[in-house]
Amino acid sequence: MYFEFESPVLEDRELILKEYEMGLKNGWLSVNDIRRAEDLSEIENGEAVYIPFTVAPLGEPVKGKETVAPISKMADIMTKSIVSAVDALPKEEVVPEMTEAEKRFERIGEMRSKQRNTRGLEFEERFKIALNELWAGQQQRAINNLRSALNMKDWKVRAPNVIDREREVEATIDLLTPLLTEVTEVEGVAALEFLGILADEVIIMTPELRKALESNTKKLAGEMTDVTSKRLRSTIAAGLEAGEAIADLEKRILASTAFTPARAENIARSETIRAQGRAELEVWNQSGVVKAKVWYTAIDERVCPFCEPMHGKTITLNDSFFKKGESLEGNNGATMNLDYETIEAPPLHSKCRCVRIPEIG
């Protein structure tokens, strides 16, 4: 038999805790004694009993007066020290929680970025194949032109120009126009689908867009050819100055930075994104429902100091983020001169990963 009694009087927790403290300090309670009383599991080495540092063993003389503060005082001193140390640490910036509208913007931006990059990768690979085909022909034509030029007298005065600009510009336009046209049409359809509009309701390749495509392709072809010509002429001049034979000069042409995979990748990505942006702008204008455009960039460890400040920037649909010739200061203090073209949409620079989000009004 046993008797169970539950007192109607509320226990005095302050008194109980005081008893625990006195028991620990004076050596008549262990940590596990207290844990058992509180229905807590025991801990390893919890049976040890401690006495104050100022108490000497019974029967032995006190060797000297000790000035050790009570445990509660020591704990108070340690707590204050920890607090002071924490206060001295650099404070982390408190990031406010995003609103529902901001969360939605991030989801849409991430989705559009993934979708467009997936489509863009295929075009970029085809773009690089086209460039490699173009450059293989340019290399051979440059070598043939070099051989012809070295038979003339004026090459001794300056390095010969081995690029026939007019011919190479035409070759570049002929090769890239079909590909850029396809990118424009595919991206126009995708931009419409994003708005929930059927592609047969809008003419994607309008006369205005076709004219813009021709103008931009011609500009691209001209600038690509000029860079190739400049790089080849520079490397040939270095070879001539070193007294190299024609076979060595030909090797220089084949190894020139004008024909590297890195250059092909930069051009392929940038021009694919430009074509995508032109198609989006055209169909969004025709839709009549898009009033503004918002810049979206992936805020991750790869984001560049110029794109990061652009995140979330909103302007009207037909306005420009930057005019040609303007400059942009990055969050690292550096400055980018935007002297290639007016920026109506990404890319902001080569290999830019940013996208543009339509704002329906």
Side-chain angles (χ1 to χ4, degrees), residues 73-87:
K73 183 66 174 178
M74 293 174 65
D76 183 56
I77 294 172
M78 291 177 66
T79 300
K80 289 181 180 178
S81 299
I82 294 172
V83 170
S84 298
V86 172
D87 288 342

PDB file of all heavy atoms in Angstrom, residues 73-87:
ATOM      1  N   LYS A  73      29.023  35.274  -7.800  1.00  0.00           N
ATOM      2  CA  LYS A  73      29.735  36.482  -8.195  1.00  0.00           C
ATOM      3  C   LYS A  73      30.619  36.213  -9.401  1.00  0.00           C
ATOM      4  O   LYS A  73      30.700  37.020 -10.334  1.00  0.00           O
ATOM      5  CB  LYS A  73      30.586  36.965  -7.014  1.00  0.00           C
ATOM      6  CG  LYS A  73      31.334  38.281  -7.277  1.00  0.00           C
ATOM      7  CD  LYS A  73      30.380  39.442  -7.445  1.00  0.00           C
ATOM      8  CE  LYS A  73      31.124  40.759  -7.548  1.00  0.00           C
ATOM      9  NZ  LYS A  73      30.227  41.895  -7.770  1.00  0.00           N
ATOM     10  N   MET A  74      31.294  35.060  -9.377  1.00  0.00           N
ATOM     11  CA  MET A  74      32.151  34.694 -10.502  1.00  0.00           C
ATOM     12  C   MET A  74      31.331  34.541 -11.774  1.00  0.00           C
ATOM     13  O   MET A  74      31.743  34.962 -12.860  1.00  0.00           O
ATOM     14  CB  MET A  74      32.887  33.385 -10.195  1.00  0.00           C
ATOM     15  CG  MET A  74      33.913  33.495  -9.072  1.00  0.00           C
ATOM     16  SD  MET A  74      34.613  31.904  -8.649  1.00  0.00           S
ATOM     17  CE  MET A  74      35.454  31.519 -10.172  1.00  0.00           C
ATOM     18  N   ALA A  75      30.174  33.910 -11.623  1.00  0.00           N
ATOM     19  CA  ALA A  75      29.303  33.734 -12.796  1.00  0.00           C
ATOM     20  C   ALA A  75      28.871  35.079 -13.352  1.00  0.00           C
ATOM     21  O   ALA A  75      28.807  35.275 -14.564  1.00  0.00           O
ATOM     22  CB  ALA A  75      28.077  32.905 -12.410  1.00  0.00           C
ATOM     23  N   ASP A  76      28.592  36.015 -12.426  1.00  0.00           N
ATOM     24  CA  ASP A  76      28.175  37.346 -12.868  1.00  0.00           C
ATOM     25  C   ASP A  76      29.297  38.043 -13.629  1.00  0.00           C
ATOM     26  O   ASP A  76      29.071  38.663 -14.670  1.00  0.00           O
ATOM     27  CB  ASP A  76      27.775  38.168 -11.640  1.00  0.00           C
ATOM     28  CG  ASP A  76      27.264  39.544 -12.031  1.00  0.00           C
ATOM     29  OD1 ASP A  76      26.308  39.609 -12.822  1.00  0.00           O
ATOM     30  OD2 ASP A  76      27.824  40.539 -11.539  1.00  0.00           O
ATOM     31  N   ILE A  77      30.550  37.900 -13.115  1.00  0.00           N
ATOM     32  CA  ILE A  77      31.696  38.521 -13.775  1.00  0.00           C
ATOM     33  C   ILE A  77      31.914  37.909 -15.158  1.00  0.00           C
ATOM     34  O   ILE A  77      32.155  38.605 -16.151  1.00  0.00           O
ATOM     35  CB  ILE A  77      32.956  38.368 -12.918  1.00  0.00           C
ATOM     36  CG1 ILE A  77      32.800  39.163 -11.617  1.00  0.00           C
ATOM     37  CG2 ILE A  77      34.204  38.811 -13.674  1.00  0.00           C
ATOM     38  CD1 ILE A  77      33.906  38.935 -10.622  1.00  0.00           C
ATOM     39  N   MET A  78      31.815  36.558 -15.224  1.00  0.00           N
ATOM     40  CA  MET A  78      32.012  35.877 -16.512  1.00  0.00           C
ATOM     41  C   MET A  78      30.941  36.276 -17.520  1.00  0.00           C
ATOM     42  O   MET A  78      31.219  36.487 -18.698  1.00  0.00           O
ATOM     43  CB  MET A  78      32.000  34.353 -16.306  1.00  0.00           C
ATOM     44  CG  MET A  78      33.210  33.832 -15.538  1.00  0.00           C
ATOM     45  SD  MET A  78      33.103  32.061 -15.257  1.00  0.00           S
ATOM     46  CE  MET A  78      33.211  31.463 -16.944  1.00  0.00           C
ATOM     47  N   THR A  79      29.708  36.398 -17.030  1.00  0.00           N
ATOM     48  CA  THR A  79      28.610  36.783 -17.919  1.00  0.00           C
ATOM     49  C   THR A  79      28.848  38.158 -18.518  1.00  0.00           C
ATOM     50  O   THR A  79      28.666  38.388 -19.716  1.00  0.00           O
ATOM     51  CB  THR A  79      27.279  36.763 -17.155  1.00  0.00           C
ATOM     52  OG1 THR A  79      27.049  35.442 -16.655  1.00  0.00           O
ATOM     53  CG2 THR A  79      26.122  37.173 -18.069  1.00  0.00           C
ATOM     54  N   LYS A  80      29.284  39.100 -17.635  1.00  0.00           N
ATOM     55  CA  LYS A  80      29.549  40.450 -18.118  1.00  0.00           C
ATOM     56  C   LYS A  80      30.683  40.465 -19.136  1.00  0.00           C
ATOM     57  O   LYS A  80      30.649  41.198 -20.121  1.00  0.00           O
ATOM     58  CB  LYS A  80      29.889  41.356 -16.940  1.00  0.00           C
ATOM     59  CG  LYS A  80      28.690  41.665 -16.056  1.00  0.00           C
ATOM     60  CD  LYS A  80      29.068  42.579 -14.908  1.00  0.00           C
ATOM     61  CE  LYS A  80      27.851  42.885 -14.038  1.00  0.00           C
ATOM     62  NZ  LYS A  80      28.215  43.748 -12.888  1.00  0.00           N
ATOM     63  N   SER A  81      31.696  39.604 -18.928  1.00  0.00           N
ATOM     64  CA  SER A  81      32.815  39.538 -19.860  1.00  0.00           C
ATOM     65  C   SER A  81      32.370  39.011 -21.210  1.00  0.00           C
ATOM     66  O   SER A  81      32.766  39.505 -22.266  1.00  0.00           O
ATOM     67  CB  SER A  81      33.921  38.635 -19.295  1.00  0.00           C
ATOM     68  OG  SER A  81      34.395  39.152 -18.087  1.00  0.00           O
ATOM     69  N   ILE A  82      31.518  37.976 -21.195  1.00  0.00           N
ATOM     70  CA  ILE A  82      31.017  37.401 -22.446  1.00  0.00           C
ATOM     71  C   ILE A  82      30.176  38.409 -23.208  1.00  0.00           C
ATOM     72  O   ILE A  82      30.301  38.567 -24.428  1.00  0.00           O
ATOM     73  CB  ILE A  82      30.212  36.119 -22.154  1.00  0.00           C
ATOM     74  CG1 ILE A  82      31.148  35.044 -21.594  1.00  0.00           C
ATOM     75  CG2 ILE A  82      29.519  35.630 -23.410  1.00  0.00           C
ATOM     76  CD1 ILE A  82      30.436  33.809 -21.097  1.00  0.00           C
ATOM     77  N   VAL A  83      29.305  39.108 -22.460  1.00  0.00           N
ATOM     78  CA  VAL A  83      28.458  40.116 -23.100  1.00  0.00           C
ATOM     79  C   VAL A  83      29.307  41.197 -23.752  1.00  0.00           C
ATOM     80  O   VAL A  83      29.053  41.630 -24.871  1.00  0.00           O
ATOM     81  CB  VAL A  83      27.484  40.728 -22.074  1.00  0.00           C
ATOM     82  CG1 VAL A  83      26.772  41.944 -22.670  1.00  0.00           C
ATOM     83  CG2 VAL A  83      26.470  39.689 -21.633  1.00  0.00           C
ATOM     84  N   SER A  84      30.362  41.634 -23.037  1.00  0.00           N
ATOM     85  CA  SER A  84      31.242  42.668 -23.584  1.00  0.00           C
ATOM     86  C   SER A  84      31.946  42.179 -24.838  1.00  0.00           C
ATOM     87  O   SER A  84      32.098  42.911 -25.823  1.00  0.00           O
ATOM     88  CB  SER A  84      32.285  43.084 -22.547  1.00  0.00           C
ATOM     89  OG  SER A  84      31.642  43.638 -21.415  1.00  0.00           O
ATOM     90  N   ALA A  85      32.362  40.904 -24.824  1.00  0.00           N
ATOM     91  CA  ALA A  85      33.056  40.348 -25.990  1.00  0.00           C
ATOM     92  C   ALA A  85      32.115  40.250 -27.185  1.00  0.00           C
ATOM     93  O   ALA A  85      32.488  40.544 -28.322  1.00  0.00           O
ATOM     94  CB  ALA A  85      33.620  38.970 -25.657  1.00  0.00           C
ATOM     95  N   VAL A  86      30.884  39.832 -26.924  1.00  0.00           N
ATOM     96  CA  VAL A  86      29.903  39.732 -28.009  1.00  0.00           C
ATOM     97  C   VAL A  86      29.591  41.104 -28.584  1.00  0.00           C
ATOM     98  O   VAL A  86      29.480  41.287 -29.792  1.00  0.00           O
ATOM     99  CB  VAL A  86      28.621  39.040 -27.511  1.00  0.00           C
ATOM    100  CG1 VAL A  86      27.524  39.121 -28.576  1.00  0.00           C
ATOM    101  CG2 VAL A  86      28.908  37.594 -27.160  1.00  0.00           C
ATOM    102  N   ASP A  87      29.459  42.098 -27.689  1.00  0.00           N
ATOM    103  CA  ASP A  87      29.173  43.455 -28.160  1.00  0.00           C
ATOM    104  C   ASP A  87      30.303  43.997 -29.028  1.00  0.00           C
ATOM    105  O   ASP A  87      30.079  44.824 -29.908  1.00  0.00           O
ATOM    106  CB  ASP A  87      28.957  44.393 -26.964  1.00  0.00           C
ATOM    107  CG  ASP A  87      27.630  44.121 -26.268  1.00  0.00           C
ATOM    108  OD1 ASP A  87      26.764  43.487 -26.895  1.00  0.00           O
ATOM    109  OD2 ASP A  87      27.484  44.530 -25.105  1.00  0.00           O
TER     110      ASP A  87
END
